[in-house]
């Protein structure tokens, strides 16, 4: 392993980390602006032009707040909770292909931190760990409302993970690979998976809303029933970490939806651009295309939040177990029949 | 010492320490959390052996699903030492006997095992999902199907058990 490889990957990982943090930071601003737009208000407009410095002001305020500890015997776990939430939110970006490759300093630089052949499973593994941050934090708060909020959030996430995993099986049956890079390459030139698997995309979208604990599935922080949910006892930057992790998760799940279903970094005419404009320019446009798709998804998630009211808890569980899971299984069967249609035709004697 | 050996030692130390802490900690939630860390370090061992699929599936199944459900139950039941059920002598005897039997099996395995001198890189692909899938559905087709039937039966059993309680109400 040569040192340039280590430096290259190190720089790339730091850039992706900074980018995720920046996107999460400005998602908070965008959320307030979108909410204001949808409710015919102005939104934050005092700090900087159009309120652009608002996230910095919020961050500064959170850091300056008093660090309050509830009367709990588990101070260590109380601190570990938000740390786990934040780190699992940041871990997923390791396997995402942000572009094909750049040709710089006489070498090809792959725009992906690591290309493992089980990237989709890795994403699921990290997503399933996100529950720990919430459960440990909610339990260590030593407050029954926090515990109830944490248990609600965790049971919701565990239930929807099942449907999410089943929906992805249909997609991997079609792509034949679990590597996100190969899935991106297969989708070049309008072969976007959403056009072949719209039902899979719909199930995945609904499940990712539930995994993010956002409206219409934000029962974890149902104010009228549970005060503030699992982070009721948190203050200062520990609280900030939980909220920040939610926005980082939003960015990452938008990215995964864009990569799995909406062609990733591919855009119409990419092969033409590679031939005529060079690899570098074509891939910079590709990264920009991916970011436009991501921002579109983030806007969509916010739009849903300010449009649809919250589900009741039994409705949420009914939707997850009785509707989405059978739908996902039917989807797998349809996909299987379509993939094996020629063999089935031969078997039936057509 | 090579990097692999250092990693192996660190991981083994974490695995053993957290496994002991799982048994010895007083608070059931702390035990569960130590067990999660133990599962993670075992996944690290799989990664050291270059079994990526096994490592990730281990994390998804054990840390991501089973332990979360276990934490759930412990948190909801609110176990205390005071309301611990007194176990009859017969079950204690059974526990000791089964522990001794497991020890016998383990001792036999340790006597038969050969030490790994060093990790070799042969270049052959043993672990990717393509190889595993072909092995599972060709050579080990029958045990694979039996395992799936076993899981199905267990699932139906769980559903039946929870249904019964509802009927009694």
């Amino acid at each position: 392993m040569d040192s340039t490889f280590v430096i290259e990957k190190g720089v790339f990982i730091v850039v992706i980390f900074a980018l995720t943090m920046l996107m999460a930071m400005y998602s908070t601003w965008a959320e307030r602006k979108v909410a204001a737009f949808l409710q015919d208000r102005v939104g934050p407009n005092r700090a900087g032009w159009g309120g652009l410095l608002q996230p910095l002001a919020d961050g500064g305020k959170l850091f300056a707040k008093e660090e309050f500890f509830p009367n709990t015997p588990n101070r260590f776990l109380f601190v570990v909770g938000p740390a786990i939430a934040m780190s699992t939110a940041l871990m997923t970006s390791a396997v995402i292909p942000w572009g094909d490759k750049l040709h710089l300093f006489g070498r090809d630089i792959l725009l992906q931190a690591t290309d493992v052949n089980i990237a989709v499973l890795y994403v699921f593994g990290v997503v399933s760990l996100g529950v720990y941050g919430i459960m440990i934090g909610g339990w260590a708060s030593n407050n029954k409302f926090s515990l109830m909020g944490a248990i609600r959030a965790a049971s919701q996430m565990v239930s929807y993970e099942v449907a999410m995993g089943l929906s992805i099986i249909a997609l991997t049956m079609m792509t034949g690979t679990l590597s996100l890079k190969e899935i991106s390459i297969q989708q070049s030139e309008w072969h976007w998976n959403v056009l072949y698997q719209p039902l899979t995309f719909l199930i995945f979208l609904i499940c990712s809303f539930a995994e993010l604990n956002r409206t219409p599935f934000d029962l974890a922080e149902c104010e009228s029933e549970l005060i503030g949910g699992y982070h009721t006892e948190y203050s200062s930057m520990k609280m900030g970490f939980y909220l920040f992790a939610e926005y980082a998760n939003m960015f990452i799940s938008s990215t995964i939806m864009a990569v799995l279903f909406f062609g990733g970094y591919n855009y119409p005419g990419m092969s033409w651009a590679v031939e005529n404009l060079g690899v570098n320019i074509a891939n910079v446009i590709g990264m920009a295309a991916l970011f436009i798709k991501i921002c579109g998804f983030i806007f969509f998630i916010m739009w849903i939040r300010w449009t649809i009211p919250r589900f009741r808890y039994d409705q949420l569980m009914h939707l997850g177990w009785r509707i989405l899971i059978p739908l996902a299984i039917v989807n797998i069967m349809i996909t299987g029949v379509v993939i094996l249609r020629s063999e089935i035709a031969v078997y039936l004697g057509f | 010492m090579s990097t692999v050996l250092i990693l192996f030692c660190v991981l083994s130390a974490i695995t053993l320490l957290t496994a002991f802490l799982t048994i010895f900690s007083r608070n059931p939630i702390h035990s569960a959390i130590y067990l999660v860390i133990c599962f993670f370090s075992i996944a690290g061992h799989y990664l050291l052996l270059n079994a990526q699929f096994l490592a990730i599936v281990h994390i998804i199944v054990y840390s991501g699903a089973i332990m979360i459900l276990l934490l759930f139950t412990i948190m909801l039941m609110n176990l205390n030492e005071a309301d611990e059920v007194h176990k009859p002598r017969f079950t204690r005897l059974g526990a000791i006997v089964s522990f001794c039997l497991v020890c016998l099996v383990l001792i036999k395995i340790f006597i038969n095992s050969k030490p790994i001198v060093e990790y070799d890189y042969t270049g052959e692909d043993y672990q990717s999902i393509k190889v595993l899938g072909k092995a599972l559905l060709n050579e080990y087709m029958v045990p694979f199907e039996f395992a799936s039937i076993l899981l199905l039966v267990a699932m139906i059993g769980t559903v039946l058990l929870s249904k019964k309680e509802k009927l009694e109400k």
Side-chain angles (χ1 to χ4, degrees):
Chain A
M1 208 190 302
D2 53 340
S3 59
T4 43
F5 177 79
V6 175
I7 293 169
E8 177 195 313
K9 288 295 176 197
V11 168
F12 188 72
I13 289 168
V14 169
V15 168
I16 292 303
F17 171 74
L19 195 78
T20 313
M21 288 308 228
L22 192 79
M23 288 298 283
M25 216 165 104
Y26 274 91
S27 294
T28 63
W29 170 82
E31 173 120 78
R32 295 166 75 172
K33 275 293 187 192
V34 170
F37 169 67
L38 291 175
Q39 296 170 344
D40 208 8
R41 291 186 283 116
V42 181
N45 66 345
R46 294 292 143 150
W49 181 82
L52 270 178
L53 295 177
Q54 189 68 39
L56 292 176
D58 286 344
K61 187 196 83 172
L62 279 174
F63 270 115
K65 282 262 182 177
E66 182 200 349
E67 192 129 22
F68 172 76
F69 275 97
N71 184 14
T72 166
N74 295 292
R75 272 175 84 108
F76 179 69
L77 289 180
F78 186 74
V79 179
V80 164
I84 296 176
M86 196 71 216
S87 19
T88 51
L90 291 171
M91 266 161 72
T92 322
S93 56
V95 291
I96 289 168
W98 302 93
D100 188 19
K101 60 182 178 228
L102 287 180
H103 194 77
L104 289 176
F105 313 118
R107 50 187 285 135
D108 282 339
I109 297 174
L110 288 178
L111 292 170
Q112 187 178 18
T114 164
D115 179 26
V116 285
N117 62 9
I118 44 162
V120 175
L121 284 178
Y122 172 83
V123 171
F124 272 93
V126 175
V127 165
S128 65
L129 297 180
V131 186
Y132 279 113
I134 292 171
M135 280 188 95
I136 290 175
W139 181 76
S141 300
N142 210 14
N143 172 339
K144 63 180 114 174
F145 292 105
S146 297
L147 182 62
M148 289 313 287
I151 282 177
R152 265 193 180 189
S155 59
Q156 168 185 334
M157 285 166 89
V158 169
S159 313
Y160 277 78
E161 251 165 46
V162 181
M164 201 180 204
L166 286 174
S167 75
I168 280 299
I169 286 176
L171 186 75
T172 45
M173 277 163 74
M174 201 186 80
T175 57
T177 175
L178 288 173
S179 153
L180 286 175
K181 186 166 185 68
E182 277 177 46
I183 290 177
S184 296
I185 291 170
Q186 283 174 5
Q187 297 180 79
S188 59
E189 305 294 334
W190 285 111
H191 292 297
W192 291 6
N193 284 332
V194 68
L195 303 176
Y196 298 96
Q197 299 265 0
L199 189 58
T200 309
F201 173 66
L202 191 68
I203 299 170
F204 192 86
L205 183 74
I206 295 172
C207 292
S208 55
F209 275 112
E211 293 288 321
L212 289 170
N213 277 327
R214 281 181 68 90
T215 334
F217 304 109
D218 65 338
L219 292 136
E221 39 193 300
C222 212
E223 300 88 357
S224 48
E225 299 165 18
L226 287 172
I227 314 177
Y230 53 87
H231 47 63
T232 303
E233 294 282 357
Y234 281 89
S235 64
S236 179
M237 206 53 206
K238 291 204 290 299
M239 159 95 165
F241 259 40
Y242 269 129
L243 300 183
F244 219 63
E246 186 185 318
Y247 284 97
N249 274 327
M250 207 162 100
F251 170 65
I252 293 295
S253 66
S254 303
T255 315
I256 288 173
M257 278 191 276
V259 170
L260 283 179
F261 294 100
F262 279 77
Y265 52 79
N266 290 297
Y267 53 94
M270 186 166 176
S271 51
W272 178 87
V274 171
E275 276 170 30
N276 292 301
L277 301 172
V279 180
N280 286 349
I281 295 174
N283 276 296
V284 168
I285 300 173
M287 277 190 272
L290 180 60
F291 269 92
I292 290 168
K293 288 168 191 170
I294 293 170
C295 292
F297 273 113
I298 293 179
F299 174 72
F300 183 70
I301 292 172
M302 289 168 181
W303 184 13
I304 292 283
R305 173 169 181 181
W306 297 105
T307 310
I308 297 181
R310 182 183 287 145
F311 276 92
R312 221 170 52 214
Y313 197 69
D314 59 318
Q315 290 172 334
L316 168 103
M317 283 299 168
H318 183 265
L319 178 70
W321 289 98
R322 298 253 176 94
I323 299 176
L324 288 183
I325 291 180
L327 204 63
I329 292 173
V330 169
N331 189 25
I332 290 173
M333 288 168 76
I334 294 171
T335 314
V337 169
V338 171
I339 289 174
L340 293 176
R341 60 187 180 278
S342 53
E343 279 90 338
I344 291 171
V346 169
Y347 185 74
L348 292 176
F350 288 121
Chain B
M1 271 208 296
S2 64
T3 357
V4 176
L5 193 63
I6 296 170
L7 278 174
F8 175 77
C9 290
V10 171
L11 275 175
S12 307
I14 295 172
T15 316
L16 288 176
L17 185 75
T18 49
F20 276 113
L21 283 171
T22 309
I23 302 168
F24 289 123
S25 45
R26 296 248 141 185
N27 191 326
I29 297 227
H30 289 177
S31 303
I33 290 167
Y34 284 127
L35 193 57
V36 174
I37 303 172
C38 185
F39 282 148
F40 267 105
S41 49
I42 291 171
H45 282 295
Y46 289 145
L47 278 182
L48 271 188
L49 297 169
N50 200 18
Q52 298 172 5
F53 179 75
L54 197 58
I56 293 289
V57 167
H58 183 84
I59 288 178
I60 292 178
V61 173
Y62 286 96
S63 321
I66 292 179
M67 282 318 290
I68 284 174
L69 294 181
L70 199 73
L71 264 181
F72 238 80
T73 1
I74 298 173
M75 281 178 184
L76 280 176
M77 291 205 310
N78 201 10
L79 290 173
N80 287 323
E81 271 178 78
D83 40 52
E84 195 178 329
V85 197
H86 181 73
K87 296 174 185 86
R89 194 164 288 167
F90 179 68
T91 45
R92 292 187 184 195
L93 198 72
I96 293 170
V97 169
S98 52
F99 177 74
C100 291
L101 288 175
V102 170
C103 276
L104 260 178
V105 174
L106 282 179
I107 288 169
K108 185 69 187 159
I109 290 171
F110 283 135
I111 290 171
N112 282 357
S113 64
K114 296 180 192 77
I116 299 174
V117 184
E118 58 186 48
Y119 292 91
D120 283 337
Y121 181 70
T122 54
E124 199 176 338
D125 183 8
Y126 286 108
Q127 58 87 32
S128 76
I129 34 172
K130 284 213 168 87
V131 177
L132 274 179
K134 276 177 186 156
L136 273 181
L137 289 178
N138 290 327
E139 290 163 54
Y140 301 101
M141 177 79 178
V142 177
F144 182 75
E145 295 290 336
F146 271 120
S148 61
I149 289 172
L150 185 71
L151 283 175
L152 190 68
V153 169
M155 202 166 79
I156 294 170
T158 339
V159 172
L160 266 180
L161 280 178
S162 54
K163 270 265 158 73
K164 218 175 184 180
E165 272 175 28
K166 253 184 199 168
L167 282 176
E168 275 167 14
K169 273 176 199 168

